[in-house]
Amino acid sequence: MPELLRLATAGSVDDGKSTLIGRLLFDSKNILTDHLEAIERAGDGPDLAALTDGLRAEREQGITIDVAHRYFATPRRRFVIADTPGHVQYTRNMVTGASTANLALILVDATKGLVEQSRRHAFIAALLGVPHLVVCVNKMDLAGWSAEVFDRIRAEFSDFASRLDVHDLVFIPVSALHGDNVVHRSTEMPWYDGLPLLTHLEQVHIASDRNLIDARLPVQHVLRGVDDGFRGYAGTIASGTFRPGDEIMVLPSGALTTVRDLHGPGGKPLSEAVAEQAVVVRLDGELDVGRGALICRPGNRPQTGRDLDAMVCWLAERPDLRPGTTYLLRHTTAETRAVVTTLDYRMDVNTLHRDEQPDSLSLNEIGRIRLTTHTPLHFDPYRRNRHTGGFILLDETSGSTLAAGLILGPALAAGNVVRHPAAVSREQRASLGATVWLTGLPAAGKSTIASELERLLTAAGRPCYLLDGDNLRHGLTSDLGFAPGDRAENVRRVGEVAKLFADAGLIAIVSLVSPYRRDRDQVRSTHEAAGLPFHEIHVDTPVDVCAARDPKGLYAKARAGEITGFTGVDAPYEPPGAPEVVLRGGDPTVAAAEIAGLVSETRNSAIPRN
Amino acid sequence: MRGDRSQLEVLESEAIHIFREVAATLERPVLLFSGGKDSAVLLTLAAHAFWPGPIPFPVLHVDTGHNFGEVLEFRDAAVARHGVRLLVADVAADLAAGTDPAASRNRLQSRTLLRALRENRFDAAFGGARRDEEKARAKERIFSFRDEFGRWEPRNQRPELWNLYNGRHRPGEHIRVFPLSNWTELDIWAYIGAEGIELPSLYYAHRRQVIPRDGLLLPRSPLLEAGPGEEVFEATVRFRTVGDATCTACVESTATTPEQVLAEVTATRVSERGATRVDDRFSTAGMEDRKREGYF
């Protein structure tokens, strides 16, 4: 049976969303005769928009009230469309629809260009980690089928999306009214060489969207046999893979045991179970495990903590979110009370501007909070795992759902330190700063490129300063050695200094081996949390080339055993997962120029990536 | 198989997760059971969800008194097979209490259902409704909050995020739960075939006397006789839904196995309700109005 794709649609009122969905269903022959008869207008073909507005009030007022789910199929795939209204209550419904979607479909009216809603919906889709984004530029018939109009909208949207965390972004010019590029290729727009919408929806690769790495099974319910002593733990696998015989750890107790057997629905024995499968697992030994426990692997545990840093979408008409208030928090199968300790900022999703001193969050507003839970949560950052990173806040009295939350990570221990508000905003400063972070093996050529970059930028009149790892060890980090913990602290300090420089308006150029990915990612996330650009440059020189250069003779010493813990010899180097630039050999001046080009287009990044 | 799970497995896991959430977080659930194919699938999924234990809640049949004999027979057999307790809420009791005798019994079900939920203090009721059935149902959440009068308020539904379902409620309020929300008629038949789920014989082709009325074929029975000028004839038919015997129509068909039905449903150009339900044809908002009153 074909694979299932869940998509959420979004778009402003009158962008033609209902018509597009109607067209998709109609042209793919997914409308049944009696439904078609109901929307047939005298002599004028079907009113496709009327297919999707189902409630009395919707028909009367011509608006869409709440998310509707629609189902259709082609021989290649089956689809669930969460059709979310573009109207006033946009965020609430969009969040509901997007939380389970593989793909978000955003409509833009070619005659109007990007409007607030387009940005808002792109922002929400990115925030919720919807893996694929498709922008349909609709009403191309009214825009004279113009490639220029399409290109302009695409450029503008891409520019906005570059400030978000969007990985797969596709643009399709369509006319929902006439059916161009919806199911069938348009003959009016020969300049478009991409796929029609339906073909794209059929082909987009979704199998790898699930997290198949981090084994996590939140225990939902304990099941017992009638009189055979069977005791199994039922739950839906949040991510990763489990097999009989796996060594596992049960949280919060930390008890270690193994998976005795695994069962699918109705007791079907399984040799393997993966993310999103509902299972019953039996464990070796007698353990005290109940709802809210989490089964994982001892070598790959989630984080555990009571102080969390999170983004929240406030979904309630009232009350507003206010710091100091206690809510019920649902996270996987666990429920606990949580107090919002701080409201760090409110996000304007149109401008991506942060209001850093809000009192509260109201309906449809998005902000960053810190909260403290009554009992510890076992979580992963949302970015890594939707199911162990997402939570909801409920009203203690009425039980209603107030907010959707996305865990960014543990809250930093700020204690009673209060942030002093600055009198000058970043935009008012003489120049916009950024951090360029060069990482790579010792003797990879980082310092040479960094010096060259400093020279180039200075010549171009850009304020900048080179923070060289070796030099800093004479002062700022002179108390630190080379053990992993010391290296982490070294990277953290240099990262903080770079952040201050970048905030002050300088380009901070850092040249530092910084071998551990986690340490660098931490620096990135503190930059992004502060809205500062961070460019990671991997100077990817093979280790034998570095050792052959060896200007300081360190490789030779390390290989002779005179120094230990040397990166590339007896200590690991973890290359970046997604660096902005990878440099492999070549002229340092050319490399520096490439980086200089990057910082000349510096923009503020909007969503914290941690 | 890694990254390659079939649609049915995905839907089955989702439904099982929903069943387990309710059992773990609500006090007194009940499963609404009409004896139809969606009920049969629902009951099978419940058994799968709580294996190797028994289904931890009773089933409730809201009995219009207008039943097909085959359905009642099936109901009793299914309940016995799964070892669950059956409760019957009698629409006739509410009729006797002095309501308009001309009112459609299908419509009166809402009142009877709410009375039964209240009397038994049920706080969660599983229903087999699917979003693909009807426009108003397409707007329904999986956990659907109902106020103390059993009302559904489409403008004020709880947001439903990821697979975190919120069943919190105050005394008197309850939650309707729809584990089959994301299933289509095709999925139901595919699952019936794959799992070998038994159904009332009405679902497969058989000879029966029918009365053609308003483009539908109504089954002739002691509850439904031909009107003046209407001609009764015998045809080979099956039912796509079974409900109140006075307003459920059948379709001409030769399908005698789930596989043959699946093939027919794949090829049909008429929706399930369009082909079979007299009551939904009165008004485009018929279902919405009934849902607001407390229908499931």
Side-chain angles (χ1 to χ4, degrees):
Chain A
M1 192 169 266
E3 201 176 26
L4 182 71
L5 175 86
R6 296 185 198 242
L7 65 139
T9 63
S12 187
V13 184
D14 297 331
D15 277 353
K17 189 157 56 71
S18 299
T19 308
L20 179 70
I21 294 169
R23 174 61 68 186
L24 203 53
L25 300 176
F26 185 70
D27 283 5
S28 62
K29 305 198 167 39
N30 272 284
I31 298 179
L32 299 171
T33 319
D34 54 319
H35 291 164
L36 200 55
E37 278 166 9
I39 58 161
E40 208 83 56
R41 293 174 302 194
D44 200 20
D47 173 13
L48 293 175
L51 269 177
T52 58
D53 285 335
L55 299 175
R56 186 192 291 279
E58 292 178 319
R59 287 189 298 274
E60 284 167 3
Q61 298 171 35
I63 58 160
T64 311
I65 290 176
D66 205 339
V67 183
H69 288 80
R70 286 166 220 294
Y71 303 81
F72 77 103
T74 68
R76 297 197 54 165
R77 215 169 235 181
R78 311 204 58 179
F79 302 91
V80 182
I81 306 181
D83 179 15
T84 74
H87 227 262
V88 206
Q89 295 180 343
Y90 44 85
T91 309
R92 178 154 80 177
N93 296 309
M94 176 71 192
V95 167
T96 291
S99 73
T100 53
N102 306 100
L103 182 146
L105 186 80
I106 296 175
L107 231 71
V108 176
D109 183 335
T111 63
K112 291 186 194 146
L114 286 201
V115 294
E116 274 184 30
Q117 303 276 42
S118 326
R119 296 177 212 276
R120 207 175 264 147
H121 288 149
F123 177 85
I124 294 165
L127 182 70
L128 284 165
V130 178
H132 310 278
L133 224 62
V134 174
V135 179
C136 282
V137 180
N138 190 26
K139 306 194 187 177
M140 287 302 294
D141 49 323
L142 299 181
W145 310 108
S146 156
E148 289 74 43
V149 169
F150 176 71
D151 287 341
R152 193 172 63 236
I153 291 171
R154 176 165 59 183
E156 200 183 338
F157 195 101
S158 299
D159 182 49
F160 180 78
S162 70
R163 297 148 74 186
L164 308 173
D165 190 37
V166 174
H167 301 286
D168 177 23
L169 179 61
V170 168
F171 294 85
I172 305 176
V174 303
S175 165
L177 191 65
H178 299 287
D180 291 79
N181 286 336
V182 178
V183 171
H184 308 293
R185 190 172 287 281
S186 173
T187 51
E188 304 284 354
M189 294 176 279
W191 45 266
Y192 172 71
D193 55 7
L195 300 170
L197 174 62
L198 183 64
T199 316
H200 179 70
L201 295 178
E202 287 182 318
Q203 292 184 3
V204 61
H205 183 67
I206 56 170
S208 58
D209 293 347
R210 284 177 300 153
N211 178 331
L212 295 168
I213 296 165
D214 306 309
R216 307 274 186 267
L217 173 61
V219 174
Q220 203 180 5
H221 204 46
V222 180
L223 294 176
R224 287 193 183 77
V226 182
D227 44 26
D228 55 1
F230 183 102
R231 182 184 164 87
Y233 305 106
T236 304
I237 296 177
S239 56
T241 309
F242 287 90
R243 291 185 194 86
D246 278 352
E247 267 191 60
I248 56 101
M249 173 180 274
V250 182
L251 297 173
S253 72
L256 292 167
T257 182
T258 50
V259 175
R260 192 155 129 203
D261 48 34
L262 271 172
H263 301 273
K268 189 169 49 179
L270 299 175
S271 57
E272 178 182 80
V274 300
E276 294 169 20
Q277 261 181 294
V279 296
V280 177
V281 52
R282 274 203 300 176
L283 304 177
D284 281 330
E286 286 301 310
L287 293 172
D288 179 22
V289 180
R291 182 176 167 85
L294 186 113
I295 299 173
C296 62
R297 271 202 243 296
N300 176 350
R301 298 176 219 170
Q303 303 183 51
T304 295
R306 293 178 51 219
D307 296 307
L308 303 173
D309 209 351
M311 296 294 292
V312 284
C313 310
W314 198 252
L315 307 172
E317 311 241 6
R318 64 193 152 70
D320 292 344
L321 174 141
R322 282 180 198 283
T325 313
T326 299
Y327 303 100
L328 281 175
L329 182 146
R330 278 281 306 276
H331 169 254
T332 66
T333 57
E335 187 167 284
T336 181
R337 298 173 80 207
V339 59
V340 173
T341 51
T342 319
L343 174 54
D344 286 334
Y345 59 80
R346 177 172 52 212
M347 192 80 187
D348 181 329
V349 297
N350 304 313
T351 60
L352 301 186
H353 178 80
R354 294 150 188 236
D355 172 3
E356 304 213 339
Q357 269 136 19
D359 300 324
S360 63
L361 288 184
S362 311
L363 177 65
N364 294 321
E365 290 185 335
I366 293 173
R368 182 162 175 166
I369 61 166
R370 271 175 271 179
L371 46 82
T372 301
T373 59
H374 188 246
T375 51
L377 299 188
H378 309 295
F379 64 89
D380 295 291
Y382 182 83
R383 195 163 282 284
R384 185 154 180 94
N385 194 325
R386 274 190 190 187
H387 292 297
T388 53
F391 64 88
I392 54 177
L393 294 179
L394 314 181
D395 187 285
E396 283 203 287
T397 319
S398 68
S400 56
T401 306
L402 302 175
L406 303 95
I407 299 174
L408 300 172
L412 298 175
N416 292 320
V417 183
V418 178
R419 197 168 277 277
H420 189 80
V424 180
S425 79
R426 198 162 298 132
E427 290 73 20
Q428 292 168 322
R429 295 196 189 277
S431 63
L432 286 180
T435 292
V436 174
W437 190 282
L438 294 106
T439 170
L441 291 167
K446 299 183 295 299
S447 295
T448 314
I449 297 167
S451 302
E452 191 57 28
L453 176 62
E454 189 180 28
R455 196 189 60 73
L456 262 180
L457 289 173
T458 306
R462 292 293 298 271
C464 62
Y465 190 79
L466 171 59
L467 295 162
D468 186 90
D470 286 341
N471 298 348
L472 295 171
R473 282 196 178 267
H474 295 289
L476 181 71
T477 60
S478 60
D479 56 327
L480 300 174
F482 291 89
D486 280 4
R487 285 186 186 272
E489 175 60 14
N490 186 36
V491 169
R492 189 192 71 79
R493 281 189 210 170
V494 178
E496 286 293 326
V497 172
K499 198 180 95 186
L500 290 174
F501 279 23
D503 193 36
L506 275 71
I507 310 284
I509 307 165
V510 177
S511 168
L512 197 62
V513 175
S514 46
Y516 298 107
R517 189 179 298 142
R518 180 198 295 201
D519 299 340
R520 295 189 306 265
D521 287 351
Q522 189 62 42
V523 176
R524 179 190 287 275
S525 73
T526 58
H527 273 74
E528 290 180 344
L532 294 166
F534 181 84
H535 304 284
E536 192 175 13
I537 316 294
H538 182 200
V539 184
D540 187 13
T541 312
V543 66
D544 49 326
V545 176
C546 297
R549 281 183 193 157
D550 204 13
K552 298 168 195 161
L554 294 171
Y555 279 92
K557 281 186 186 169
R559 286 180 176 170
E562 290 171 34
I563 49 177
T564 58
F566 189 77
T567 303
V569 177
D570 61 344
Y573 177 79
E574 299 172 355
E580 276 72 10
V581 176
V582 179
L583 298 172
R584 291 195 179 92
D587 183 343
T589 312
V590 176
E594 182 183 350
I595 303 171
L598 201 67
V599 292
S600 70
E601 296 168 42
T602 285
R603 294 194 174 280
N604 288 353
S605 175
I607 301 178
R609 293 179 31 141
N610 182 18
Chain B
M1 232 183 300
R2 181 170 281 237
D4 184 33
R5 296 173 54 228
S6 83
Q7 143 116 346
L8 274 189
E9 283 180 309
V10 171
L11 292 172
E12 184 187 43
S13 276
E14 182 184 66
I16 284 173
H17 179 82
I18 293 161
F19 269 114
R20 290 171 175 168
E21 278 303 286
V22 171
T25 62
L26 286 134
E27 297 280 322
R28 288 174 68 82
V30 67
L31 186 147
L32 303 178
F33 189 79
S34 68
K37 65 181 188 309
D38 298 324
S39 299
V41 167
L42 207 55
L43 196 59
T44 304
L45 287 167
H48 282 181
F50 301 106
W51 171 94
I55 295 174
F57 37 77
V59 303
L60 172 68
H61 181 209
V62 178
D63 185 353
T64 60
H66 289 168
N67 297 298
F68 291 100
E70 295 91 333
V71 173
L72 288 184
E73 229 171 82
F74 169 77
R75 176 194 78 183
D76 294 338
V79 161
R81 191 168 55 250
H82 287 285
V84 287
R85 186 162 61 96
L86 171 70
L87 302 164
V88 179
D90 197 354
V91 172
D94 291 281
L95 277 178
T99 354
D100 174 7
S104 144
R105 289 192 173 200
N106 212 1
R107 185 135 198 175
L108 288 173
Q109 280 183 62
S110 308
R111 176 187 309 230
T112 309
L113 170 63
L114 292 175
R115 177 174 57 78
L117 294 178
R118 195 172 54 244
E119 286 175 2
N120 291 283
R121 292 181 293 113
F122 290 127
D123 62 355
F126 294 101
R130 309 188 321 262
R131 286 169 175 157
D132 78 320
E133 284 179 85
E134 203 277 332
K135 283 179 176 185
R137 287 196 166 159
K139 300 271 170 176
E140 183 62 272
R141 297 282 195 258
I142 289 172
F143 270 45
S144 178
F145 176 82
R146 301 302 166 105
D147 68 12
E148 65 268 46
F149 305 107
R151 287 179 308 200
W152 178 62
E153 181 41 73
R155 280 173 198 272
N156 200 19
Q157 301 192 76
R158 288 176 174 174
E160 206 153 79
L161 300 139
W162 304 290
N163 62 352
L164 298 175
Y165 300 106
N166 176 6
R168 286 250 162 198
H169 62 93
R170 290 181 281 211
E173 300 167 342
H174 71 273
I175 310 285
R176 300 282 171 87
V177 185
F178 303 111
L180 303 180
S181 286
N182 289 320
W183 296 51
T184 63
E185 187 183 13
L186 282 173
D187 299 319
I188 294 289
W189 277 107
Y191 194 72
I192 287 167
E195 297 291 319
I197 296 172
E198 283 182 41
L199 293 184
S201 56
L202 295 169
Y203 279 106
Y204 301 106
H206 57 283
R207 295 290 289 175
R208 139 177 328 261
Q209 290 199 321
V210 294
I211 309 163
R213 186 180 292 169
D214 299 333
L216 300 177
L217 291 180
L218 291 170
R220 179 171 176 252
S221 73
L223 297 166
L224 186 72
E225 289 294 351
E230 284 183 326
E231 185 197 350
V232 177
F233 65 92
E234 200 172 88
T236 303
V237 296
R238 66 176 183 85
F239 288 82
R240 283 176 77 179
T241 68
V242 300
D244 188 310
T246 63
C247 60
T248 304
C250 44
V251 294
E252 292 196 76
S253 164
T254 55
T256 55
T257 65
E259 292 68 31
Q260 288 169 1
V261 173
L262 192 59
E264 268 190 18
V265 173
T266 308
T268 186
R269 302 306 306 153
V270 182
S271 78
E272 187 175 324
R273 289 198 164 258
T276 63
R277 298 306 275 264
V278 174
D279 47 337
D280 285 340
R281 292 160 48 111
F282 293 144
S283 136
T284 45
M287 175 68 84
E288 179 184 349
D289 293 340
R290 279 189 287 145
K291 278 176 68 66
R292 280 174 178 273
E293 286 167 15
Y295 190 69
F296 79 90

